Amino acid sequence: MAVRSFQARLLYLLIAILVLLDAGTLISVYFAGQRTLRNTVADQLRVGSRVLNRILDTRARQLSDSLRVLALDFAFREAVASADVPTITSVLANHGSRISADAVVLVNLNGVVTADTLGGRLSGKPFPFAALLRDAQNHGEASAMVSFANRPYQFVLVPVLAPRPIAWVCAGFEIDERVLTDVRRLTHLDIAIWSSSAGPQLAPDESKYATLEQPLPTGDGSQVNALLASNLEEAQKPFRKLELQIFALSTIVLIVAVFAAVIFARSVSQPLRVLAEGAGRVERGDYVTPIVVEQEDEIGHLATAFNQMQSAIATREDEIRYQATHDALTGLPNRTLFLDRLSYAIAGAKRSTGSAVGGPSVGMIMMDVDRFKEINDTLGHQVGDQLLIDIGRRLEHTLRQSDTVARLGGDEFAVMFMAPTFKHAEEVAARIVGAFDAPIILGDVSIDVNASLGIALYPAHADDAGTLMRHADIAMYDAKREHSGIAVYEPGRDEHTLRRLSLIMDLRQAIVRDELELYFQPKADVRSERVGHAEALVRWNHPRHGVMRPDEFIPLAEQSGKIGLITKWVIRKAIAQCAQWRREGLDLAVAVNLSALDLFDSELPVFISGLLTEAGLPPASIVLEITESAVMKDAAFAQKMLADLKRRGVCLAIDDFGTGYSSLAHLKRLPVDELKIDKSFVLNLTETAADDLVIVRSTIELGHNMGLVVIAEGVETAESWAILKRLGCDMAQGYFMTKPLPAEAFKAWLQASRWGSSAR
């Protein structure tokens, strides 16, 4: 009896221990599962929010492209220009039907709706979304979410150009079930979007759904909200199944424990502890260490399920980590991963010597693809993306496996390597340049890739990764500005770079603040010694740096993409000044310099013709000067542009002749009227300067034989003038006549000078 009592107490004790152990395992698994569930659902909602924003952004770009087709239609622009409201309304309705727009309206420049597809409901009234219209006026086009007719809409607004904006065409697209279906399909979430004046279409039970509500940016100050919801019951099913499996296993353990208490305790308690430990590792983020249970029973199957679960979680986290550290287009490491590897390499170099000086050198190269924007704009973004992919492949094949190649964004790449010496770093840069000796073939297009490379080394140039990248970037911009291909960072360039960045920022406001001013330098006829032309030269009256010459800020404008705005400002002011002089009795032609990037602006010929027509000037009143190097950047496209300008009657000149690399055969095909001898051959022109004398004489004869007017720039002495006159040069300009002057001072000089007084 005592034995039976002891066995009972022992059995009760073992059963109690097993119950407590099972309970502890269940609780641990439950709380770990609940935390994982909450985190997973929260991540799913955040990803769904980003997917929604990405879909709306992509949809806005697609809608903008579709609407821009209507704005570019010639017949539609004619109807807008002639205020033919019935035709406009018909075109709006037809195009709106093609692009599935729910509302299409035409807004005049005063912000009043001219026509609409809403039965005239908005016609004659102010455009109801003034903020959206202001945004389009500031940026050229605009898109935004709005609350319209108590429904959320996505409105897109683009200009109707002829060539300047004459009206605005706007299309509205209701955020309907099709858009929400795309989000649901991609995220497996329920979603609703509503405006402030209407309630949500989805009102989930908070006990059954996890939700995320976010306001969407609007263009009219109203509120448009989105609600994302995840079904908690569906998300909990895998965890409930796991809990049921563990509970069933625990019940079996208890039943068997009655018959074999000690043996069962030894065989079951250990696997349960292993499972609990495995659940804890999963909770802490350890998805590598497997749960090892050498049993072919339910506990073994449960351990297998745990291992499969943690393997799946590890795979998803690896994918997320890869996407966060690699470029989506090229598959190369992105800026984050590159900076981490660079920091690790520098830290390793420091540890190897115990200090930051005298150890192994870590080198990096910052590389920027020249003229990538032109390639993208000319051939399209698809070709541009494929070009970036091929550039990344060539870089990887060119460098060692231990080196790191990364795409930092846009057309910017970076390379990290161990560099024992400066010479080694330059050899790496030379190999990179050599990798692009052969053009990249994309379909039927052959693209010559040129790049600017900046080199910086640890510890010579920086003591940390961030500073090293910044110094390599500075060197790269030096190489781009000097057209040297490769440049090594020079200490002390930071201040220069900060000044350059400051000037780029100031340059954006220079035109708005009316800080630019035109100076004029005369071109005199060598035979008659009378001025008939003037070259317009821009100056920047900077509020801090004073008057700045073009060579100080024009390269910055080219790098920052603002050169087109400056060129059009100069052309507009030069034509206006030429027209004013003619009204005042001064018959002068005005010359304007074009940048290499201006030759890729296909709208420039129309822009110039429009200004000449408005000013009432003949096309020959304006002379456009283009350098040889600018023409050679894309000879075929430049020749097409120049031919268009020539057909419109504009006079064309090759500037700085003799310093470029164009062949005479190519020069012969250019539709130019004038040839300007570069000042480097004229500044020191004397009877004893045999080389310059031969070059100038040959250039004058060459120009005359080709039927061109020859102009010499840089004339500063009477001897140079006399030589040019003897050699038969047609025109000359330089400080011998006068330095560049503001418009009023130029006019006064011309009226008082011997170069113009007797002719006026």
Side-chain angles (χ1 to χ4, degrees):
M1 190 71 177
V3 173
R4 288 195 299 270
S5 176
F6 174 78
Q7 290 178 343
R9 290 195 302 270
L10 180 60
L11 179 61
Y12 296 153
L13 177 62
L14 292 175
I15 292 176
I17 293 174
L18 289 172
V19 169
L20 291 176
L21 182 60
D22 286 352
T25 302
L26 289 173
I27 293 172
S28 175
V29 171
Y30 174 79
F31 283 108
Q34 289 299 311
R35 278 192 291 270
T36 304
L37 173 64
R38 287 194 298 271
N39 293 337
T40 301
V41 170
D43 290 342
Q44 186 181 19
L45 290 174
R46 286 193 292 269
V47 170
S49 174
R50 291 195 292 270
V51 170
L52 172 62
N53 292 334
R54 182 65 59 86
I55 288 177
L56 293 178
D57 290 343
T58 302
R59 191 167 182 263
R61 288 194 296 271
Q62 294 172 345
L63 299 178
S64 176
D65 292 341
S66 300
L67 193 57
R68 200 178 295 112
V69 173
L70 172 61
L72 293 174
D73 184 78
F74 180 78
F76 177 68
R77 288 186 290 179
E78 279 194 336
V80 174
S82 60
D84 187 351
V85 175
T87 300
I88 294 172
T89 303
S90 176
V91 173
L92 293 179
N94 290 336
H95 193 77
S97 176
R98 286 198 300 270
I99 65 176
S100 302
D102 299 290
V104 186
V105 300
L106 182 72
V107 185
N108 64 23
L109 297 179
N110 295 323
V112 177
V113 177
T114 304
D116 63 60
T117 61
L118 302 172
R121 190 167 60 188
L122 298 179
S123 296
K125 300 178 182 178
F127 185 63
F129 308 110
L132 180 62
L133 182 58
R134 287 193 300 271
D135 189 31
Q137 291 169 343
N138 291 333
H139 299 94
E141 63 178 53
S143 64
M145 300 286 296
V146 300
S147 177
F148 183 68
N150 292 331
R151 298 288 297 167
Y153 273 69
Q154 192 168 18
F155 267 40
V156 178
L157 193 65
V158 301
V160 181
L161 304 174
R164 295 179 300 178
I166 60 173
W168 298 89
V169 61
C170 177
F173 302 82
E174 182 179 355
I175 306 302
D176 54 14
E177 190 61 28
R178 291 174 298 174
V179 179
L180 302 184
T181 300
D182 288 341
V183 180
R184 295 189 188 105
R185 178 174 54 83
L186 293 172
T187 63
H188 303 292
L189 298 174
D190 291 327
I191 181 172
I193 298 179
W194 71 94
S195 63
S196 58
S197 55
Q201 299 173 345
L202 178 66
D205 185 352
E206 294 184 358
S207 63
K208 297 181 179 180
Y209 288 84
T211 61
L212 174 65
E213 182 175 345
Q214 70 171 43
L216 300 177
T218 63
D220 59 345
S222 62
Q223 288 188 347
V224 175
N225 299 308
L227 181 68
L228 300 168
S230 176
N231 191 319
L232 293 177
E233 292 183 354
E234 291 296 324
Q236 288 175 345
K237 284 182 179 180
F239 297 92
R240 288 179 177 174
K241 181 179 179 180
L242 181 61
E243 292 170 0
L244 289 175
Q245 289 177 334
I246 296 175
F247 179 79
L249 181 61
S250 301
T251 303
I252 294 173
V253 170
L254 290 175
I255 294 174
V256 175
V258 175
F259 302 97
V262 176
I263 298 175
F264 189 79
R266 291 178 179 177
S267 63
V268 173
S269 61
Q270 181 63 28
L272 289 178
R273 284 195 295 271
V274 171
L275 289 175
E277 292 172 357
R281 287 196 299 271
V282 172
E283 179 185 1
R284 293 189 296 272
D286 179 3
Y287 309 124
V288 178
T289 305
I291 299 174
V292 180
V293 176
E294 297 179 353
Q295 293 181 209
E296 296 296 332
D297 54 12
E298 289 80 356
I299 296 179
H301 295 322
L302 181 59
T304 301
F306 261 96
N307 288 330
Q308 292 173 347
M309 179 186 70
Q310 73 177 20
S311 177
I313 295 174
T315 300
R316 286 195 295 271
E317 285 206 354
D318 288 342
E319 292 176 355
I320 294 172
R321 190 179 298 108
Y322 181 86
Q323 294 173 0
T325 57
H326 287 76
D327 176 53
L329 177 64
T330 62
L332 296 173
N334 60 13
R335 182 182 294 272
T336 301
L337 181 56
F338 181 82
L339 185 60
D340 286 345
R341 291 186 180 180
L342 186 61
S343 300
Y344 183 81
I346 291 176
K350 290 181 179 180
R351 286 194 302 270
S352 66
T353 58
S355 66
V357 180
S361 293
V362 179
M364 75 157 291
I365 294 175
M366 191 75 72
M367 172 181 142
D368 183 82
V369 181
D370 296 339
R371 301 190 303 110
F372 179 74
K373 184 179 185 300
E374 301 165 16
I375 296 172
N376 227 11
D377 294 343
T378 304
L379 302 179
H381 292 281
Q382 184 175 0
V383 174
D385 289 347
Q386 187 59 48
L387 178 63
L388 292 174
I389 294 173
D390 286 3
I391 289 173
R393 289 173 181 168
R394 286 203 182 184
L395 289 174
E396 286 187 306
H397 293 158
T398 301
L399 301 172
R400 298 175 304 180
Q401 190 173 3
S402 59
D403 299 335
T404 295
V405 179
R407 181 188 176 213
L408 305 185
D411 59 345
E412 212 172 51
F413 293 82
V415 177
M416 183 196 74
F417 51 91
M418 300 307 294
T421 62
F422 276 98
K423 182 179 179 181
H424 177 79
E426 291 173 347
E427 290 174 352
V428 173
R431 288 206 306 273
I432 293 175
V433 173
F436 301 106
D437 287 343
I440 293 178
I441 309 299
L442 299 178
D444 298 332
V445 180
S446 175
I447 302 176
D448 290 321
V449 175
N450 295 309
S452 299
L453 281 67
I455 303 173
L457 275 71
Y458 160 87
H461 298 144
D463 191 46
D464 61 86
T467 305
L468 192 66
M469 288 185 67
R470 179 161 52 85
H471 288 174
D473 194 54
I474 292 171
M476 182 268 291
Y477 275 107
D478 286 342
K480 182 177 289 289
R481 183 179 60 258
E482 297 168 4
H483 305 288
S484 60
I486 301 173
V488 179
Y489 172 74
E490 298 178 7
R493 296 292 292 166
D494 298 66
E495 182 178 349
H496 170 76
T497 302
L498 291 174
R499 182 177 185 271
R500 179 175 61 83
L501 293 175
S502 175
L503 287 176
I504 290 176
M505 298 298 293
D506 293 343
L507 192 58
R508 297 177 181 175
Q509 301 297 325
I511 297 177
V512 177
R513 297 171 181 167
D514 197 26
E515 295 174 355
L516 301 182
E517 181 181 5
L518 282 189
Y519 279 50
F520 296 88
Q521 187 174 36
K523 297 180 183 178
D525 185 279
V526 175
R527 295 183 185 86
S528 64
E529 298 190 354
R530 294 293 179 265
V531 174
H533 292 231
E535 181 175 358
L537 302 169
V538 66
R539 299 290 188 269
W540 184 4
N541 295 316
H542 196 281
R544 294 192 306 277
H545 304 299
V547 179
M548 299 180 64
R549 296 170 58 84
D551 54 3
E552 296 183 77
F553 63 89
I554 290 299
L556 299 180
E558 292 177 334
Q559 294 173 17
S560 61
K562 303 298 179 183
I563 188 63
L565 295 176
I566 293 179
T567 298
K568 290 182 177 179
W569 181 91
V570 171
I571 293 174
R572 184 183 295 109
K573 291 292 185 181
I575 291 177
Q577 186 62 60
C578 184
Q580 180 180 338
W581 280 338
R582 292 213 171 192
R583 290 191 296 270
E584 296 171 353
L586 298 178
D587 186 10
L588 295 174
V590 177
V592 174
N593 290 286
L594 291 187
S595 164
L597 297 180
D598 294 326
L599 293 181
F600 293 92
D601 184 359
S602 58
E603 297 182 356
L604 188 63
V606 177
F607 174 77
I608 294 174
S609 294
L611 291 178
L612 288 170
T613 301
E614 290 179 6
L617 292 175
S621 300
I622 189 77
V623 180
L624 300 180
E625 298 185 358
I626 311 101
T627 63
E628 290 179 88
S629 57
V631 174
M632 293 306 295
K633 283 186 178 294
D634 191 333
F637 193 84
Q639 190 169 349
K640 179 181 177 182
M641 281 285 294
L642 296 177
D644 190 1
L645 289 166
K646 185 63 178 177
R647 283 194 300 269
R648 298 172 187 271
V650 177
C651 187
L652 302 174
I654 291 293
D655 195 12
D656 299 337
F657 182 76
T659 61
Y661 301 98
S662 60
S663 66
L664 294 179
H666 178 71
L667 179 63
K668 181 179 65 175
R669 291 193 295 267
L670 295 178
V672 296
D673 306 282
E674 298 178 358
L675 197 66
K676 293 188 70 175
I677 305 174
D678 186 68
K679 62 183 180 181
S680 62
F681 306 117
V682 181
L683 285 173
N684 300 315
L685 183 62
T686 64
E687 294 292 351
T688 59
D691 292 341
D692 289 342
L693 196 59
V694 170
I695 292 174
V696 171
R697 179 190 295 112
S698 300
T699 305
I700 293 173
E701 292 175 356
L702 171 66
H704 287 166
N705 290 335
M706 298 179 68
L708 304 177
V709 174
V710 180
I711 305 169
E713 56 180 346
V715 180
E716 296 190 355
T717 65
E719 183 179 3
S720 298
W721 177 272
I723 293 174
L724 292 170
K725 191 169 186 178
R726 175 170 59 81
L727 296 177
C729 188
D730 299 300
M731 286 192 289
Q733 70 179 98
Y735 280 21
F736 179 64
M737 283 75 78
T738 182
K739 64 180 181 180
L741 299 169
E744 289 301 321
F746 178 85
K747 175 184 174 183
W749 171 85
L750 190 62
Q751 291 173 336
S753 170
R754 72 179 180 87
W755 302 97
S757 58
S758 62
R760 303 291 187 273

